[in-house]
Amino acid sequence: MTTAPPAVPVPSAPRHRPDGSPWPDRLWRDATAVLAANWSHDHTVPSRRLYPHQWSWDSAFISIGLAHTAPDRAWQDLRALFAAQWPDGRVPHIVFDRATAERDYFPGPAFWAAPAAPGGTTGLVQPPLHALAAWAVYRTCADRDPAAAGRELAWLYPRLVAQQDYLADRRDTGGAGLVSIVHPWESGLDNSPAWDDALAAVPADGRLLRRYQRRDVQVADAAHRPTDVDYARYIALAAAYRDTGYDDSAPLAFRVECPAVNSIYASAEQALARIAVVLGADPAPHHARAAAVTEALTRRLYDPDTGMFHALDVLAGARTPARCVSGVLPLMLPGLPADVAATLLAQRPVLGMPYSSYDRTAADFDPLRYWRGPVWINVNWLLWRAARDRGLPGLAGELRSAMLGLVTEAGFYEYYHPDTGAGIGAPAFSWTAALTLDLLAHP
Ligand code: 2M8
């Protein structure tokens, strides 16, 4: 379904820098052009070279931006992803593009294939951001074509519910109502120091990397990517899960409760409650699960001594001491106790502005290596939304200016150097372009 480039309406809302001068008009046009160039048949790829397939939470972020310029593509991106949903409800973390060669991404479809599993996808998941995205796309599109937006929402709703039910029924390893991830890739914050302790228990078998070849370091700077030791562990974990037939009840070496994943999981229930009201369904179960997850998250992952949340290694029964941006993402949750929210807001000196992915004061803070220091637009966008929802216009304004400043100066990169603002990782990166559109549309 390759169609002509979409129309590009420029928002009428004023969009000015803090000093009153306007953000350049080219930002809107260039962001739109990045998304048009990354459109592939029926979905958007995160990056043509580094990530040439469809990624789950990328599609959620991307649809939020596309809603402003190409509503049909916004819905289509979500549809393509949910068309690949597994019978057990899981939404795969990658849907492989059949037209893309196996050698263009590792680990590709042949690596993930398992006898009883649906083909053409991985068996991992990513943060369930899609209900929030569906609601955001609906809000952007409903004024223009309410009937079409309502139809899309009605198609997605049962699938979004099944996605949440899979996580609730199959991933509550800790038994407290939180989701456990079984691989760092499931967090989306793949290389975060939050996983270092839990990963240390996973053997790093170098033979795995001799048998397979990393593709990422052929198309990106190796200093910006995970080390070979970490990558060997990623491959070992993925192969072990695959060899169980993606059985969540099998003994797996990595089971971690991540504050970011669980914040997004709870936020999804809030979005589903809003969607349910529009569709005439009952919002009460969604409100109930959102409240229960918020309570469990605070009880299990919050550390009053550091004033932030920390990932919990369920198998070892230990919280990581690492202070990562995931540890302040519970700001997304309206039900968070006010005193806890206040301590999260006080973490600015640790994480900086815009927020870095990791503690800037830590000895192993790395401004270049992905998720171990650099600034990411997607998590800053989530915090910007949280600040707006919490009635913190000062913080929301600072985050918006900081993000727009980065993309204006450097372009739409995958991530940014926290000190110099230089773009790192993949250029022409889809979620950065998409979320820029959303920032520009919301002064
Ligand atoms: C990165 O992850 C992939 C594996 O899923 C990779 O490194 O190959 C992460 O930043 C992840 O959050 C993102 O969804 C993906 C595609 O942008 O890239």
Coordinates of all heavy atoms in Angstrom, one line a residue, residues 46 51 55 57-58 93 105 126 185 188 190 225 370-371 376 429 431, ligand 1:
P46 N 11.6 2.3 12.0 CA 12.3 3.3 12.9 C 13.4 4.0 12.1 O 13.7 5.2 12.3 CB 12.8 2.5 14.0 CG 12.0 1.2 14.1 CD 11.6 0.9 12.7
Y51 N 17.3 -0.2 11.6 CA 16.1 -0.9 12.0 C 15.1 -1.0 10.9 O 14.0 -0.3 10.9 CB 15.4 -0.2 13.2 CG 16.4 0.1 14.4 CD1 16.6 1.4 14.7 CD2 17.0 -0.9 15.1 CE1 17.5 1.7 15.8 CE2 17.8 -0.6 16.2 CZ 18.1 0.7 16.5 OH 18.9 1.0 17.6
W55 N 8.8 -2.0 14.6 CA 9.0 -2.2 16.0 C 7.8 -1.7 16.8 O 7.1 -0.7 16.4 CB 10.2 -1.4 16.5 CG 11.5 -2.2 16.7 CD1 12.0 -2.7 17.9 CD2 12.4 -2.6 15.7 NE1 13.1 -3.4 17.6 CE2 13.4 -3.3 16.3 CE3 12.4 -2.4 14.3 CZ2 14.5 -3.9 15.6 CZ3 13.5 -2.9 13.6 CH2 14.5 -3.7 14.2
W57 N 6.9 -0.6 20.1 CA 6.6 0.7 20.8 C 7.0 1.9 19.9 O 6.4 3.0 20.0 CB 7.1 0.8 22.2 CG 8.6 1.1 22.5 CD1 9.6 0.8 21.8 CD2 9.1 1.9 23.6 NE1 10.8 1.2 22.4 CE2 10.5 1.9 23.5 CE3 8.5 2.5 24.7 CZ2 11.3 2.5 24.5 CZ3 9.3 3.1 25.7 CH2 10.7 3.1 25.5
D58 N 7.9 1.7 18.9 CA 8.2 2.7 18.0 C 6.9 3.1 17.2 O 6.6 4.3 17.0 CB 9.2 2.3 16.9 CG 10.6 2.0 17.5 OD1 10.7 1.1 18.4 OD2 11.5 2.7 17.1
H93 N 7.5 -7.7 19.6 CA 8.4 -6.5 19.7 C 8.9 -6.1 18.3 O 9.1 -4.9 18.0 CB 9.5 -6.7 20.7 CG 10.9 -6.7 20.3 ND1 11.5 -7.9 19.9 CD2 11.8 -5.8 20.4 CE1 12.8 -7.6 19.7 NE2 13.0 -6.4 20.0
Y105 N 19.1 -7.3 9.1 CA 18.9 -7.1 10.5 C 19.3 -8.4 11.3 O 18.8 -9.5 10.9 CB 17.5 -6.6 10.9 CG 17.4 -6.4 12.4 CD1 17.9 -5.2 12.9 CD2 16.8 -7.3 13.2 CE1 17.8 -5.0 14.3 CE2 16.7 -7.1 14.6 CZ 17.3 -5.9 15.1 OH 17.2 -5.6 16.5
Q126 N 7.2 -5.4 23.9 CA 7.8 -4.1 24.3 C 6.8 -3.4 25.2 O 5.7 -3.8 25.3 CB 8.2 -3.3 23.1 CG 9.6 -3.5 22.6 CD 10.1 -2.5 21.5 OE1 9.3 -2.1 20.7 NE2 11.4 -2.2 21.5
W185 N 15.5 -6.3 26.0 CA 14.9 -5.7 24.8 C 13.4 -5.4 25.0 O 12.8 -4.6 24.3 CB 15.1 -6.6 23.6 CG 16.5 -6.6 23.0 CD1 17.4 -5.6 23.3 CD2 17.1 -7.6 22.1 NE1 18.6 -6.0 22.6 CE2 18.4 -7.1 21.9 CE3 16.7 -8.7 21.5 CZ2 19.3 -7.8 21.1 CZ3 17.5 -9.4 20.7 CH2 18.8 -9.0 20.5
G188 N 12.6 -1.8 26.0 CA 12.8 -0.7 25.1 C 14.0 0.1 25.5 O 14.6 0.9 24.7
D190 N 17.0 -0.8 26.2 CA 17.7 -2.1 26.1 C 19.0 -2.3 26.8 O 19.3 -3.3 27.5 CB 18.1 -2.4 24.6 CG 16.8 -2.4 23.7 OD1 15.8 -1.9 24.1 OD2 16.9 -2.9 22.6
R225 N 27.0 1.5 20.7 CA 26.1 0.4 20.7 C 26.5 -0.5 21.9 O 27.6 -0.3 22.5 CB 26.2 -0.4 19.4 CG 25.8 0.3 18.2 CD 24.3 0.5 18.1 NE 23.6 -0.8 18.1 CZ 22.3 -0.9 18.2 NH1 21.5 0.2 18.2 NH2 21.7 -2.0 18.3
Y370 N 24.4 3.7 23.9 CA 22.9 3.9 23.9 C 22.2 3.3 25.2 O 22.6 2.3 25.7 CB 22.3 3.4 22.6 CG 21.7 2.1 22.5 CD1 20.7 1.9 21.5 CD2 22.0 1.0 23.3 CE1 20.1 0.7 21.3 CE2 21.4 -0.2 23.1 CZ 20.4 -0.4 22.1 OH 19.8 -1.6 21.9
W371 N 21.4 4.1 25.8 CA 20.6 3.9 27.0 C 21.5 3.9 28.3 O 21.1 3.6 29.4 CB 19.8 2.6 27.0 CG 18.7 2.7 25.9 CD1 18.6 2.0 24.8 CD2 17.6 3.5 26.0 NE1 17.5 2.3 24.1 CE2 16.8 3.2 24.8 CE3 17.1 4.5 26.8 CZ2 15.6 3.9 24.5 CZ3 15.9 5.1 26.5 CH2 15.2 4.8 25.4
W376 N 17.2 10.7 25.2 CA 16.3 10.1 24.2 C 15.0 11.0 24.2 O 14.5 11.4 25.2 CB 15.9 8.7 24.6 CG 17.0 7.7 24.4 CD1 18.1 7.6 25.2 CD2 17.2 6.8 23.4 NE1 19.0 6.6 24.8 CE2 18.4 6.1 23.6 CE3 16.5 6.4 22.3 CZ2 18.9 5.1 22.8 CZ3 16.9 5.4 21.4 CH2 18.1 4.7 21.7
F429 N 15.5 9.5 12.3 CA 14.9 8.5 13.2 C 13.4 8.8 13.4 O 13.0 9.9 13.7 CB 15.6 8.4 14.5 CG 15.3 7.2 15.3 CD1 15.7 6.0 14.9 CD2 14.6 7.4 16.5 CE1 15.4 4.9 15.7 CE2 14.3 6.3 17.3 CZ 14.7 5.0 16.9
W431 N 10.7 8.0 15.5 CA 10.0 8.5 16.7 C 10.4 9.9 17.0 O 9.6 10.7 17.5 CB 9.9 7.5 17.8 CG 11.1 7.4 18.8 CD1 11.9 8.3 19.2 CD2 11.5 6.1 19.4 NE1 12.8 7.8 20.1 CE2 12.6 6.5 20.3 CE3 11.0 4.8 19.4 CZ2 13.2 5.5 21.1 CZ3 11.6 3.9 20.2 CH2 12.8 4.2 21.0
Ligands
2M8_1 C1 16.5 -0.5 20.0 O1 16.4 -1.9 20.2 C2 16.7 -2.9 19.1 C3 16.2 -4.2 19.6 O2 14.9 -4.2 19.8 C4 18.1 -3.0 18.7 O3 19.0 -2.4 19.4 O4 18.4 -3.6 17.7 C5 15.9 0.1 21.3 O5 16.2 1.5 21.4 C6 14.4 0.0 21.3 O6 13.8 0.7 22.3 C7 13.8 0.4 19.9 O7 12.4 0.1 19.9 C8 14.5 -0.2 18.7 C9 14.0 0.3 17.4 O8 14.0 1.7 17.4 O9 15.9 0.0 18.8

